[in-house]
Amino acid sequence: MKINPRFIGFDIDCVVADTMEAFIRLADKDYGLTVTPEQITRFRVEKCLNIDPDIIEKIFLKLLVDPKKSGLKPMSYAVDILTELADYSCLYFVTARPDPKPIDTWLYSVLGPEVYKKVRLAATGEHDGKSEYIHEMGLKYFVDDRVATCLQLAEEGVNSIVFQQPWNEGRHDLPFVNNWLDIRELCL
Ligand SMILES: [Mg+2]
């Protein structure tokens, strides 16, 4: 049984966007700090990195305010597969970012004008506020990398799918995907 693309939605950071790659790159470029992907074992990176929390906040703020200029990249195959899914349905995104505009501009730049027309984006401003938007969009499945979000959504009747990342691996018993090729396999 495949998932109808109409009924699946996606988180943005660390699912569609490779936010951790950008974080690691900016930590090096702006502050000369070396961070390896293996070091990021917690969703709240200040809990696993020995870096001044103010610096961490500044880096994430930069990624919130101007993802395009920060060089935020899409995850591998995300653009190809979202482009394919857009043939069947609108593309639904729910992000915990507070302001939809910067990431909306970023989506336009990575997806291109045609696929972007299918984008439906909601910004909740808080990690725990996604289910209302997901239900409003009529979605039944949601892909997110934050375990607490996935667990909460599952309790509220959404079929959560964890996008596997070092900070969620082994911390849940929910269905998961390793990458966008897995998402393609689920839907197409
Ligand atoms: Mg995320």
Side-chain angles (χ1 to χ4, degrees):
M1 266 276 284
K2 297 285 181 181
I3 297 172
N4 181 333
R6 164 63 188 90
F7 298 120
I8 191 166
F10 307 97
D11 172 37
I12 301 246
D13 288 294
C14 304
V15 172
V16 178
D18 197 349
T19 313
M20 278 311 153
E21 182 281 330
F23 177 87
I24 290 169
R25 186 164 35 76
L26 292 179
D28 177 40
K29 185 173 136 272
D30 295 351
Y31 301 95
L33 296 168
T34 304
V35 179
T36 64
E38 297 73 37
Q39 284 177 291
I40 303 181
T41 53
R42 302 288 296 268
F43 181 83
R44 294 181 59 185
V45 298
E46 67 275 16
K47 292 196 171 175
C48 60
L49 297 179
N50 192 17
I51 295 180
D52 181 350
D54 284 348
I55 291 181
I56 292 176
E57 207 184 312
K58 278 183 189 150
I59 297 172
F60 278 122
L61 190 65
K62 197 168 176 178
L63 290 167
L64 281 181
V65 173
D66 202 342
K68 205 177 151 193
K69 211 167 120 195
S70 307
L72 184 63
K73 295 173 189 144
M75 298 288 289
S76 295
Y77 296 105
V79 170
D80 299 313
I81 289 153
L82 286 167
T83 300
E84 276 191 78
L85 295 177
D87 279 341
Y88 301 89
S89 165
C90 288
L91 303 170
Y92 297 92
F93 303 100
V94 182
T95 174
R97 286 172 172 251
D99 178 4
K101 275 201 203 98
I103 202 68
D104 193 50
T105 304
W106 181 82
L107 281 169
Y108 181 89
S109 73
V110 298
L111 294 173
E114 277 310 305
V115 176
Y116 175 79
K117 283 181 196 160
K118 296 290 193 83
V119 168
R120 301 293 178 269
L121 169 69
T124 66
E126 47 165 353
H127 285 297
D128 294 325
K130 288 188 175 178
S131 83
E132 187 191 330
Y133 294 87
I134 289 168
H135 287 299
E136 235 167 61
M137 287 170 164
L139 306 175
K140 295 178 179 156
Y141 299 84
F142 195 76
V143 184
D144 205 297
D145 65 293
R146 183 174 176 259
V147 170
T149 299
C150 292
L151 291 170
Q152 193 198 6
L153 291 176
E155 268 181 31
E156 294 176 22
V158 179
N159 296 290
S160 291
I161 300 167
V162 179
F163 195 97
Q164 190 111 298
Q165 291 281 11
W167 49 92
N168 61 43
E169 216 175 331
R171 292 172 190 257
H172 63 88
D173 295 315
L174 294 164
F176 63 90
V177 288
N178 289 300
N179 51 46
W180 276 87
L181 296 174
D182 286 352
I183 294 174
R184 186 185 190 283
E185 192 57 37
L186 283 178
C187 298
L188 300 174

